[in-house]
Amino acid sequence: MEVHVRVPASLLDEVKGSLLQKDIAFAVMINDVQALIDKSNINERSVQTSLSSFDYTKYHPMNEIYTWIDQIKDAHPDLVTLNYLGSTYETRPIYYFKIGFPSDKKKKIFWMDCGIHAREWISVAFCQWFIRELVERYNSNNVINEALENIDFYIVPVLNIDGYVYSWTTDRFWRKSRSPHNNKTCYGVDLNRNFDSNWCTIGASSDCNSITFCGTGPASEPEVRAVQQLVSSVKSDILCFLTMHSYGQLILLPYGYTKDPSVNHEEMLTVGQKAAARLAQISGTQYRVGSASHILYSNSGSSRDWATDLGFPFSFTFELRDNGTYGFALPEGQIKPTCEETTAAIVSIIEYLNEKHFNNASGNFSGTQWINLSFSVLIGIYYSLF
């Protein structure tokens, strides 16, 4: 089992000596975490005044993200509607975007949420990047353009807002939400252990001090309840459910709570592998693809598994960069390449959905279908002549 801990610089030599005496293997991932945090100047960032000045290659605190959310809504009223998802424990509003071309027909849904774990800032940065791709650059991307005709993208830029704020103000590596437990002696629930999917049976803890604390019951947390209520209300229309995390460079399939494959495992594996291959073409980054219980670890109560149990055709967890060099403290210099390669992977998934669900319905036949059609026509001509 691999365990990551932070050690004060003054105690590093002592801790290393103790581990060596006990013959415990270890590696120093980041020599000075605080210096890396300070380098980002996160407490000195000025609030952007307009959407055109927003820097997608920087991490942004929640007040800036709220401003950005309003600006995106106002700048693209023909494509974007802003919707209230629910409230956090500390009564902060959670919003989601609905992005798609207006249509009289009932459209399918592509779900994406980011920031379910507070310290995974690259996840939040990616959601903002991808939203920009949808609303500003669809004319230059035929795959996205076609998808917007048939699909509405439901995107939650930050789900665990209380925890995200806390990771900026108090503890950069905070993971959980901020609800109080055990007479306020401990705080927070791992929201990705709180979904109603084999809740708290494996890879989760009932100890409120644990970073994988599963909560007091399935969907006990307001953030999780809000997602479950909305997604359940539109479940017949959802084609794909993506939840964005870091780190590890993985595309995780269900399940986490069992070694058994999901009903749609082979197709999801094929789509995930194609996405990983497309991602690698951008900057050479290698991702592994497979069921969470096989290539990462077992866990219960995840949103990915819950979505799969609802019957969605595709449900993936993306674990973004990196493999542990920086871990959750991924430098801002890696935001752009991470977002570019991840966008390529997700566009690959969208392309598959377009071809499977919409191209044939609109009369665009595959090569095999054209051959079959031509053969049938020839047979008909032959018999009409004799």
Side-chain angles (χ1 to χ4, degrees):
M1 181 177 69
E2 187 175 279
V3 178
H4 294 225
V5 296
R6 283 176 291 155
V7 178
S10 60
L11 298 178
L12 181 58
D13 289 340
E14 181 180 339
V15 171
K16 288 165 66 176
S18 177
L19 292 174
L20 287 170
Q21 287 179 357
K22 297 177 181 178
D23 198 27
I24 298 175
F26 68 90
V28 178
M29 293 169 56
I30 307 173
N31 283 317
D32 193 340
V33 172
Q34 190 58 49
L36 187 64
I37 295 172
D38 293 341
K39 189 177 180 180
S40 299
N41 294 319
I42 60 177
N43 294 318
E44 301 173 13
R45 190 73 49 76
S46 60
V47 177
Q48 81 279 5
T49 57
S50 68
L51 188 59
S52 62
S53 69
F54 192 86
D55 191 344
Y56 290 88
T57 66
K58 301 290 185 183
Y59 295 121
H60 294 271
M62 198 61 217
N63 64 320
E64 292 186 13
I65 294 174
Y66 273 134
T67 299
W68 171 84
I69 285 172
D70 283 333
Q71 291 170 339
I72 288 286
K73 174 200 67 174
D74 294 339
H76 305 280
D78 55 332
L79 194 62
V80 172
T81 56
L82 182 63
N83 300 274
Y84 175 76
L85 178 64
S87 176
T88 68
Y89 177 81
E90 294 178 342
T91 69
R92 294 183 175 92
I94 310 170
Y95 296 110
Y96 71 95
F97 286 114
K98 178 182 175 183
I99 303 173
F101 294 141
S103 176
D104 293 332
K105 66 182 179 182
K106 192 173 184 180
K107 298 173 71 176
K108 293 299 184 180
I109 294 171
F110 188 108
W111 173 275
M112 180 188 295
D113 63 72
C114 296
I116 195 171
H117 288 145
R119 62 193 179 187
E120 298 169 10
W121 290 7
I122 186 60
S123 163
V124 175
F126 172 73
C127 245
Q128 295 181 285
W129 183 285
F130 188 71
I131 288 167
R132 180 183 62 167
E133 290 291 316
L134 292 179
V135 301
E136 293 184 7
R137 301 182 177 181
Y138 60 87
N139 280 328
S140 60
N141 190 312
N142 292 334
V143 173
I144 290 178
N145 199 302
E146 180 182 352
L148 291 172
E149 294 280 1
N150 301 292
I151 294 172
D152 285 326
F153 290 82
Y154 284 37
I155 304 180
V156 185
V158 190
L159 181 58
N160 180 10
I161 296 175
D162 294 346
Y164 185 72
V165 170
Y166 193 76
S167 73
W168 277 81
T169 61
T170 308
D171 182 352
R172 171 63 183 86
F173 294 96
W174 187 258
R175 170 184 170 98
K176 300 186 289 181
S177 64
R178 290 297 299 163
S179 54
H181 299 274
N182 196 26
N183 294 320
K184 297 185 178 181
T185 60
C186 51
Y187 287 81
V189 168
D190 182 344
L191 299 182
N192 205 40
R193 301 294 185 274
N194 192 237
F195 281 80
D196 191 6
S197 177
N198 280 65
W199 176 79
C200 218
T201 55
I202 188 171
S205 175
S206 58
D207 178 3
C208 65
N209 289 290
S210 170
I211 64 169
T212 60
F213 176 45
C214 59
T216 56
S220 63
E221 304 310 292
E223 299 88 349
V224 172
R225 283 199 303 275
V227 172
Q228 289 198 176
Q229 289 169 2
L230 173 62
V231 172
S232 295
S233 71
V234 293
K235 65 180 182 179
S236 62
D237 299 318
I238 294 181
L239 289 179
C240 187
F241 185 100
L242 294 188
T243 180
M244 310 303 294
H245 291 246
S246 73
Y247 60 93
Q249 297 174 193
L250 305 167
I251 299 177
L252 299 175
L253 284 57
Y255 286 105
Y257 63 73
T258 176
K259 296 286 187 179
D260 296 337
S262 62
V263 172
N264 200 33
H265 176 79
E266 291 303 322
E267 187 179 17
M268 272 197 282
L269 183 62
T270 298
V271 172
Q273 289 171 339
K274 288 181 178 179
R278 190 76 61 85
L279 185 151
Q281 291 175 359
I282 303 302
S283 51
T285 308
Q286 298 298 312
Y287 269 56
R288 290 186 294 145
V289 183
S291 299
S293 59
H294 286 269
I295 69 170
L296 186 58
Y297 49 64
S298 295
N299 70 302
S300 55
S302 74
S303 64
R304 176 201 59 247
D305 289 356
W306 173 79
T308 304
D309 288 341
L310 281 185
F312 301 155
F314 300 98
S315 181
F316 300 104
T317 300
F318 271 68
E319 297 282 356
L320 304 180
R321 289 193 189 188
D322 56 10
N323 274 325
T325 301
Y326 297 103
F328 301 114
L330 193 71
E332 289 182 329
Q334 293 199 33
I335 293 176
K336 184 175 185 287
T338 300
C339 291
E340 287 176 339
E341 66 192 15
T342 309
T343 296
I346 291 176
V347 168
S348 170
I349 296 173
I350 296 169
E351 185 175 27
Y352 183 87
L353 296 177
N354 284 346
E355 293 173 355
K356 179 176 181 178
H357 292 279
F358 307 115
N359 279 354
N360 293 341
S362 63
N364 295 324
F365 295 98
S366 68
T368 301
Q369 290 170 310
W370 274 114
I371 291 170
N372 290 341
L373 175 62
S374 300
F375 183 73
S376 298
V377 171
L378 289 172
I379 291 295
I381 293 173
Y382 175 83
Y383 280 110
S384 69
L385 294 174
F386 295 95

